[in-house]
């Protein structure tokens, strides 16, 4: 301790030296000492250091002064409160000094101190004390009208302090407001602007009463018709407080909007600009409250986006018609110079109105259709805007419109329309956009040859968005666009960024349009792209190689036998080979050169002649290199599957050996790519592979078939299937090591989907390979063995029954001779697995087995459930044509059982009904609808569940009929029976998830009934006595859960049909509901943060409380382990939602959120949960979206 004091006193002594270098070095050493965490100062040293540093602020040498200011930052946390107050007092009194340099350095010092004041609860007393001291002195300094520079510094420091520590200044908010408002009328514009900034920082944390006082003051002043300069200030202030205060301004909009609208007609360009900035802030912060005013604001924006009183666009258009392209360029340049008047501020009005339109497009996706008829044509017309910055904003606004179109027409709708379902699937907005494409291209293609880089980049960005939004839209316009692309690639004055943007757009164009559209233009396209591949800047080379890869596809599209132009092939091959051979280049270029050459070999290998073997050798070298091996594996996969049958025998044996070693590596992506590559090699080159060459691969495969990674298992089994078909002899050796793993997988409860399908293929391939030790009986025995042992069968999961059944059926369908004996055995002991297998076998000979199955269902009530399982397998697997003769008998049988008391049986009946309806929808769907009116509540619930099974996730003939009937089926949401309403919600959820187009138009009618089901109903809550305890049962919980699940699905599939603020009202209620519902609403909230951040910010104060309550609740000490686990999971889930909220840039402007964030930081328990979520343990924020929708 004494050593530190001695060292510090030494430094302090040097600071008094007459030599400025001594003072500088001593101050620098002191700063380094203070930055050490371990340093502890005694009281005397603290006082001396503070006095010396404050003295050095008045040093004659500027560098010493600056260092002294830097020392203040670490000093704040090292000294006690009285010393910090001494620093602040001195700095504040220096602030109003006559010496300008001292004032400047002291204000820097104050800003440094404010930035370092602690926010944690332990240091809060110090912060509050210091802030009060600074604030009272700053308020005095702001009031000093005689010295403007003092006022400006004081306002600047106030803004900094309010921005960081507004919560600590609550007691001063009122006096700060009283101090700042008069400054809005200051004759100095700089004072007015800084006062506005300070008010902007005050607004987020001030009380609602104070906010109203500020807004009322501004409205009163504006109503009095002040001079234009004052009006500008007040409107600017309104825009700022709206941006910072968010939704609070919403309640004042009714009075504000007419005022601001009135001022847009004043002849003052700056005032008009500020009016539109205010509109933009209102739209972004209060989208719902702005709804009634959207038409007015849109009209004003459309009017003023063309406001250019000093320029005649019509004359320019006439010139275009009269003169050639070259003359027109000269005229454009001249006219630009002629009208570039420094006093002309009209461009600012145009820019502000366009930004306002962009805000409108961004926040009101629900009005997209109307924007296409009003805003879209107006924006296209403004592509000719003469001012470069404004034109960039026009492009940005149009790009936002395209992005909203892409987001609005949800993935389901677009997929369906592409798959050739009913043409109405294509959203109306996309149809309207398609009509505008020729005009967009016509307007933009000329600008692609302009000298302005910014314009060209804007055009490329916009065209890229267009290509992504409407697939194939630019196909017929390619001849017009190519000259523009070539111009940017060959223009000597083009910057690197310009070329990269042109290549990037060209790549998107090549990917999104058919190859034949580019074939006539290859002569123009190849030379500039080849030149870019040879460019010295690696980013240009890398982007050009991506384009070259696609041009190779154009030279000879996959599956075409036409010869490609040899000149082009030679040119492209030479530059790509040069990059492929180079080892001293960027990693990205290396990988793209490998990939590009791979595509050349795949598409044009027969044109490469003697060069081909050399290229393959290079690929083998790259395969052995750790850095490039993954790309090389993928490239060899591509070449192996090439339709032009590339001869690989020269590298095959060595490649297989290297690939075998990759299966041992711990890199999952490499493992998966290697398995795909081996599958391609075995499928297409089996004849060239010697059995010995496969051994390094075969020895690694058994360990990969394991339930710990289902995807790797699936791809491994697919490879084994190819081997069983292509080289069965090699498989016989490893059957004893591979098969036990495969059977373990079949009995695993995790097996489903792709992995199960791969195993079915594998077993069929094995049994057909006629290998002696892999016959039907040898495979059937280990599959069914666990079910015959009473000890083993007790541990078997239900999913395993299904998996084994599918395997038995697959084996039987490949060996028809063995089937009858197996069927007889299965009928004698119908269990779950056997019932599925029985159904799958009945498909093979329907006329023999189906009548027998239906008779058994009627006569065997004890086995009815299992036999219905068999019937479901028959209906699922049979082609419609085979089932048609039996439909009536099945239908009648199912309706006899639709009121069965056993719910499991009823659900099976419903699934059979739904799947049967798909066989003949035109006749059966109306009959289902009829049953809704006729049946009891139990029958109605069965029918509604059956509808759920008619909704499949791919286009089907039933879709158009379903759409007509969906309104009738959804009326069951108003059914008097709670169970019918629950299954109706489940059906609605299925429609929203799989076919949102079925329910989109019905949302306005349905949503009110959906929201009604989210409310807790007291009449459905009852108390049950269990011995000495009373237990509460909520009969409405399942319905509420179903309703909230529907809400979650609608977020993904029908967001544009929701009023997000109304939606949030119900999410807010769910945050206080039962455990299951809270878990769901936490997921929803995190999803909403990414989809509609503005709406969430608007409701933030109401959402924070339930989140806080969950995170801070503790379970009672004597509770069971499950209670602790449930509460812990709840807290983690709530914290994920909080983490998503805290990722929003403006979230901590809310006082309640800032306080909660501080609470999380200071509470060790909550801080550890928050940090683990940030690190991604137990599911990060991304995991919020992983709800299982099955």
């Amino acid at each position: 301790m004494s050593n530190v004091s001695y060292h510090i006193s030494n430094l302090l002594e040097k600071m008094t030296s007459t030599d400025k270098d001594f003072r500088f070095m001593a101050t620098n050493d002191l700063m380094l000492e203070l930055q050490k965490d371990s340093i502890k100062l005694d009281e005397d040293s603290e006082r001396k250091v503070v006095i010396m540093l404050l003295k050095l602020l008045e040093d004659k040498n500027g560098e010493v002064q600056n260092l002294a200011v830097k020392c203040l930052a670490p000093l704040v946390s090292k000294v006690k409160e009285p010393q910090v107050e001494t620093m602040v007092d001195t700095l504040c009194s220096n602030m109003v000094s006559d010496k300008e340099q001292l004032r400047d350095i002291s204000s820097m010092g104050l800003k440094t101190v404010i930035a370092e004041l602690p926010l944690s609860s332990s240091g809060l007393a110090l912060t509050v004390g210091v802030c009060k001291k600074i604030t009272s002195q700053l308020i005095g300094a702001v009031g000093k009208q005689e010295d403007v520079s003092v006022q400006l510094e004081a306002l600047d420091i106030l803004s900094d302090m309010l921005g960081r520590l507004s919560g600590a200044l609550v007691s001063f908010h009122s006096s700060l407001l009283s101090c700042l408002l008069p400054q809005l009328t200051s004759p100095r514009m700089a004072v007015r602007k800084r006062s506005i900034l300070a008010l902007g920082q005050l607004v987020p944390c001030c009380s609602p009463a104070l906010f109203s006082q500020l807004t009322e003051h501004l409205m009163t002043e504006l109503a009095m018709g002040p001079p234009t300069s004052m009006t500008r200030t007040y409107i600017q202030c309104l825009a700022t407080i709206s941006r910072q205060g968010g939704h609070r301004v919403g309640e004042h909009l009714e009075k504000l909007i007419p005022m601001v609208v009135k001022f847009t007609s004043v002849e003052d360009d700056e005032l008009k600009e500020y009016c539109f900035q205010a509109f933009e802030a209102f739209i972004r912060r209060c989208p719902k409250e702005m709804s009634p005013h959207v038409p007015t604001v849109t009209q004003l924006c459309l009017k003023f986006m063309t406001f250019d009183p000093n320029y005649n666009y019509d004359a320019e258009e006439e010139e275009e018609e009269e003169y050639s392209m070259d003359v027109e360029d000269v005229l454009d340049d001249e006219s630009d110079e002629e009208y570039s008047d420094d006093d002309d501020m009209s461009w600012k009005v145009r820019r502000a109105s366009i930004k306002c339109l962009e805000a409108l497009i961004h926040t009101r996706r629900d009005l997209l259709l109307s924007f296409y008829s009003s805003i879209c044509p107006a924006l296209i017309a403004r592509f000719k805007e003469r001012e470069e910055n404004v034109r960039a904003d026009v492009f940005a606004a149009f790009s936002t419109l395209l992005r909203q179109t892409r987001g609005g027409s949800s993935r389901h709708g677009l997929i369906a329309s592409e798959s050739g379902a009913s043409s109405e699937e294509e959203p109306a907005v996309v149809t309207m956009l398609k009509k505008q494409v020729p005009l967009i291209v016509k307007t933009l293609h000329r600008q692609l040859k302009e000298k302005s880089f910014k314009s060209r980049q804007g055009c490329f960005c916009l065209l890229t968005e267009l290509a992504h939004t409407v697939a194939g839209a630019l196909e017929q316009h390619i001849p017009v666009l190519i000259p523009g692309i070539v111009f940017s690639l060959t223009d000597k004055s083009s910057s690197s960024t310009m070329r990269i943007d042109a290549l990037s757009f060209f790549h998107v164009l090549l990917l999104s349009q058919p190859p034949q559209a580019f074939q006539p233009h290859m002569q123009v396209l190849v030379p500039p792209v080849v030149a870019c591949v040879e460019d010295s800047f690696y980013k240009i080379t890398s982007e050009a190689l991506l384009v070259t890869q696609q041009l190779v596809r154009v030279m000879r599209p996959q599956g075409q036998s036409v010869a490609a132009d040899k000149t082009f092939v030679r040119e492209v091959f030479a530059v790509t080979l040069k990059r492929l051979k180079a080892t001293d280049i960027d990693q990205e270029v290396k990988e793209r050169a490998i990939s590009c050459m791979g595509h050349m070999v795949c598409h044009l290998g027969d044109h490469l002649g003697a060069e081909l073997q050399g290229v393959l050798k290079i690929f083998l070298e790259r395969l052995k290199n750790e850095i490039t091996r993954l790309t090389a594996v993928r490239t060899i996969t591509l070449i192996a599957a090439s339709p032009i049958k590339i001869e690989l025998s020269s590298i095959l044996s060595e490649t297989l050996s290297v690939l075998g070693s990759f299966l041992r590596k711990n890199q999952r992506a490499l493992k998966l790519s290697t398995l795909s590559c081996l599958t391609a090699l075995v499928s297409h080159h089996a004849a060239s592979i010697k059995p010995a060459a496969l051994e390094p691969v075969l020895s690694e495969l058994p360990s990969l078939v394991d339930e710990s990674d289902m995807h790797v298992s699936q791809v491994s089994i697919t490879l084994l299937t190819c081997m069983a078909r292509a080289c069965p002899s090699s498989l016989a050796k490893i059957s004893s090591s591979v098969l036990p793993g495969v059977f373990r997988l079949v009995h695993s409860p995790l097996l489903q989907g792709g992995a199960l399908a791969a195993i079915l293929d594998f077993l069929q391939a094995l049994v057909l390979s006629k290998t002696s030790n892999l016959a039907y009986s040898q495979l059937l025995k280990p599959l069914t063995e666990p079910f015959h042992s009473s000890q083993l069968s007790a541990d078997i999961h239900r999913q395993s029954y299904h998996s084994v059944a599918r395997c038995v059926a697959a084996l039987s369908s490949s060996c028809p001779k063995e089937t009858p004996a197996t069927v007889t055995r299965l009928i004698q002991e119908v269990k779950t697995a056997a019932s599925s297998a029985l159904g799958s076998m009945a498909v093979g000979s329907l006329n023999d087995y189906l009548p027998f199955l239906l008779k058994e269902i009627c006569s065997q009530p004890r086995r009815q459930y299992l036999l219905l399982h068999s019937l479901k397998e028959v209906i699922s697997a049979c082609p419609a044509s085979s089932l048609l003769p039996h439909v009536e008998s099945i239908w009648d049988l199912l309706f006899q059982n639709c009121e069965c008391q056993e719910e499991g049986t009823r659900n099976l009946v419903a699934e059979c009904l739904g799947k049967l309806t798909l066989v003949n929808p035109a006749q059966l769907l109306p009959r289902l609808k009829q049953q809704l009116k006729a049946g009891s509540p139990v029958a109605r619930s069965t029918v509604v569940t059956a509808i759920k099974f008619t909704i499949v996730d791919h286009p089907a003939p039933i879709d158009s009929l379903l759409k007509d009937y969906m309104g009738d089926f959804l009326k069951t949401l108003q059914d008097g029976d709670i169970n019918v309403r629950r299954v109706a919600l489940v059906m609605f959820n299925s429609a929203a998830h799989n076919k949102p187009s079925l329910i989109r138009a019905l949302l306005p009618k349905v949503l009110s009934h959906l929201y009604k089901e989210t409310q807790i109903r007291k009449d459905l809550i009852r108390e049950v006595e269990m011995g000495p305890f009373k237990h509460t049962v909520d009969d409405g919980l399942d319905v509420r859960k179903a309703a909230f699940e529907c809400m979650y699905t609608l977020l993904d599939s029908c967001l544009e049909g929701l009023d997000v603020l109304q939606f949030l009202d119900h999410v807010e209620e769910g945050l206080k509901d039962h455990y299951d519902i809270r878990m769901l609403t936490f997921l929803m909230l995190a999803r909403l943060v990414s989809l509609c951040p503005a709406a969430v910010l608007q409701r933030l104060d109401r959402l924070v409380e339930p989140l806080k309550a969950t995170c801070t609740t503790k379970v009672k000490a004597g509770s069971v382990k499950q209670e602790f686990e449930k509460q812990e999971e709840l807290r983690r889930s709530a914290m994920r939602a909080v983490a998503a909220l805290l990722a929003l840039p403006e979230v901590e402007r809310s006082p309640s959120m800032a306080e909660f964030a501080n609470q999380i930081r200071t509470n060790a328990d909550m801080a550890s949960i928050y940090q683990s979520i940030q690190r991604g343990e137990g599911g990060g924020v991304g995991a919020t979206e992983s709800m299982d929708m099955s």
Side-chain angles (χ1 to χ4, degrees), residues 333-627:
D333 291 346
E334 284 173 6
S335 56
D336 274 4
E337 285 161 25
E338 189 183 328
Y339 286 110
S340 289
D341 188 350
D342 291 341
D343 298 330
D344 177 17
M345 289 289 140
S346 64
W347 67 273
K348 289 188 172 182
V349 180
R350 299 198 296 281
R351 185 177 65 179
S353 58
I354 286 158
K355 280 183 175 295
C356 186
L357 280 178
E358 186 180 1
L360 205 54
I361 295 164
H362 185 73
T363 53
R364 298 305 302 265
R365 189 186 273 172
D366 51 322
L367 301 176
L368 209 52
L369 205 55
S370 67
F371 290 160
Y372 265 99
S373 48
S374 57
I375 296 176
C376 176
L379 283 173
I380 295 172
R382 289 313 298 165
F383 287 171
K384 65 184 178 187
E385 167 65 54
R386 67 189 173 100
E387 193 66 45
E388 193 173 75
N389 291 331
V390 183
R391 198 185 312 152
D393 286 321
V394 175
F395 289 156
F398 200 83
S399 295
T400 303
L401 183 67
L402 293 172
R403 276 192 293 278
Q404 291 293 79
T405 307
R406 221 162 47 239
S409 43
S410 78
R411 59 201 168 89
H412 302 287
L414 282 180
I415 288 168
S417 65
E418 284 164 20
S419 311
S422 57
S423 59
E424 69 77 39
E425 276 289 1
E426 178 174 280
V429 284
V430 176
T431 312
M432 291 182 84
L433 174 58
K434 278 184 175 173
K435 288 178 188 165
Q436 299 285 4
V437 170
L439 185 57
I440 295 169
V441 175
K442 184 184 172 189
T443 320
L444 290 183
H445 88 271
R446 275 180 43 254
Q447 296 192 23
L448 286 174
K449 286 197 170 183
E450 281 198 4
K451 289 176 184 164
S452 157
F453 291 159
K454 203 168 181 182
S455 289
R456 278 191 270 159
Q457 280 175 310
C459 290
F460 283 136
C461 289
L462 196 153
L463 287 166
T464 302
E465 290 290 351
L466 185 59
H468 284 316
T469 308
V470 187
L474 296 173
E475 183 181 347
Q476 64 201 69
H477 306 289
I478 283 170
V480 183
L481 293 172
I482 282 174
I485 297 169
V486 172
F487 175 73
S488 280
L489 294 180
T490 52
D491 179 26
K492 294 279 189 294
S493 62
S494 282
S495 65
S496 299
T497 319
M498 185 70 257
R499 283 202 213 157
I500 290 167
D501 282 354
L503 286 165
S504 178
F505 166 63
F506 190 20
H507 184 238
V508 168
L509 200 61
L510 284 161
L511 280 173
S512 58
Q513 317 303 324
Q516 54 272 24
F518 299 93
Q519 282 168 347
H521 311 283
M522 289 298 280
Q523 210 149 3
V524 187
L525 290 171
V526 172
V529 174
V530 164
C532 286
V533 173
E534 296 202 89
D535 197 275
S536 56
F537 184 36
Y538 78 94
K539 283 195 172 176
I540 292 178
T541 306
S542 171
E543 207 64 44
L545 282 165
L546 273 185
V547 171
T548 309
Q549 188 170 303
Q550 294 306 317
L551 283 177
V552 166
R553 193 174 60 98
V554 172
M555 289 179 195
R556 186 202 272 167
Q558 198 93 51
Q560 287 192 13
S561 53
V562 197
D565 189 311
K566 288 186 177 164
T567 322
F568 297 149
V569 175
R570 264 200 309 278
E571 275 182 59
V572 172
F573 178 76
V575 288
T576 311
L577 186 65
K578 185 179 168 186
R579 291 296 180 190
L580 180 68
K581 283 179 174 175
T583 50
D584 55 344
I585 50 170
D586 184 80
Q587 171 71 10
E588 192 178 76
V589 178
K590 274 184 193 171
E591 289 179 355
R592 287 183 176 176
I594 295 169
S595 184
C596 181
M597 185 58 89
H599 276 76
M600 279 209 79
V601 173
C602 173
H603 289 264
L604 305 163
D606 50 349
H607 285 54
L608 302 183
E611 303 271 13
L612 178 63
Q613 292 310 314
V615 171
L616 293 176
K617 288 275 190 298
I618 297 174
F619 284 153
L620 187 57
E621 281 168 34
R622 299 291 175 267
L623 190 69
K624 293 173 184 174
N625 183 325
E626 190 174 344
I627 294 170

Side-chain angles (χ1 to χ4, degrees), residues 625-694:
N625 183 325
E626 190 174 344
I627 294 170
T628 53
R629 64 189 181 191
L630 184 58
T631 312
V633 169
R634 287 170 180 163
T635 302
I636 292 171
T637 311
L638 184 77
I639 294 168
S642 167
I644 54 176
K645 302 277 187 291
I646 304 297
E647 181 53 57
L648 296 177
S649 50
S650 61
I651 62 162
L652 204 54
S653 173
E654 206 171 341
T655 300
L656 287 169
S657 169
V658 176
L659 290 173
S661 71
F662 289 169
L663 295 177
R664 283 195 295 276
K665 303 286 184 227
N666 205 11
Q667 190 185 346
R668 188 169 183 271
L670 179 67
K671 222 178 257 183
L672 286 167
S673 298
T674 302
L675 288 165
S676 301
C677 183
L678 287 164
T679 306
L681 287 168
V682 170
S683 304
H684 298 92
H685 298 268
S688 316
I689 299 175
K690 297 181 178 125
L694 274 177

